[in-house]
Amino acid sequence: MKTLTLLRHAKSGWDDPVARDFDRPLNPKGQRAAAMVGRHMRALGLGFDHVAASPAVRVIETLAQVAAGYGRDLAPEWDQRLYLASAATLLDLVHELPEGADRVLLVGHNPGLEELVLLLADGGGALREAVETKFPTASLAELRFGDVAWEAISGGSAALARFIRPRDLDSSLGPDTP
């Protein structure tokens, strides 16, 4: 069975005066959320044969914090194509995944990640409805496929097994209230 886990970068700092969107760092809340998600991934026993990630600063920092919580380096393969990728581009990347990797983690950005989950997940259900409502920063979605090659993955071919938002783990990591 193939498992594809999608992780959106944690909350970044819009107040940081960087010249390019690509260079935006995490804010303190994002750092806390990423570490919390890493600890939860460890508690769930999630493991990965392959990790691919956008090289944007906020993704690099997210993975550093996730790794701190997870307890080990995730050793990502940095792929520029993941930066702000559309669902179609992400699906192309899924089709290129190494066949020997059964458990893959992709780390990137919205709206592409959310759209990919909605494209690949079969049927409805509460998890899909939650993704449709919002795929917040530092959220993780796990898609499970049958015994199929990555290159054969298509729309509606996955079961959405998990959708974990930081606020599900710690209410203080939920949306800011005015």
Side-chain angles (χ1 to χ4, degrees):
M1 172 171 40
K2 302 278 191 216
T3 302
L4 178 64
T5 303
L6 304 174
L7 175 63
R8 184 177 175 197
H9 67 79
K11 192 165 188 62
S12 57
W14 285 96
D15 296 335
D16 198 292
V18 295
R20 302 182 312 160
D21 172 75
F22 187 86
D23 298 322
R24 252 185 315 117
L26 294 185
N27 68 20
K29 185 175 180 179
Q31 293 170 357
R32 286 193 334 270
M36 171 81 62
V37 169
R39 288 190 295 276
H40 193 67
M41 288 167 56
R42 181 182 64 219
L44 292 171
L46 299 184
F48 307 102
D49 304 317
H50 182 78
V51 178
S54 161
V57 169
R58 60 192 177 273
V59 174
I60 292 169
E61 291 182 1
T62 295
L63 278 173
Q65 293 297 320
V66 166
Y70 189 64
R72 66 174 188 247
D73 183 25
L74 293 165
E77 177 181 296
W78 304 106
D79 191 329
Q80 182 67 34
R81 297 174 296 170
L82 281 162
Y83 177 63
L84 302 180
S86 67
T89 298
L90 291 169
L91 184 57
D92 288 343
L93 292 168
V94 168
H95 290 155
E96 296 172 12
L97 290 170
E99 271 314 308
D102 290 330
R103 300 167 304 158
V104 172
L105 175 64
L106 288 183
V107 189
H109 312 266
N110 253 7
L113 290 177
E114 176 180 331
E115 292 169 356
L116 184 64
V117 171
L118 297 174
L119 171 70
L120 295 177
D122 62 356
L127 290 179
R128 184 183 169 91
E129 288 175 18
V131 171
E132 285 175 346
T133 300
K134 186 169 183 180
F135 195 103
T137 52
S139 290
L140 183 134
E142 182 181 281
L143 297 159
R144 294 181 185 161
F145 303 87
D147 188 22
V148 63
W150 289 116
E151 65 187 17
I153 299 292
S154 61
S157 63
L160 180 56
R162 293 181 218 275
F163 179 52
I164 301 162
R165 303 166 297 188
R167 70 174 172 233
D168 299 329
L169 307 174
D170 179 343
S171 62
S172 74
L173 296 172
D176 294 329
T177 53

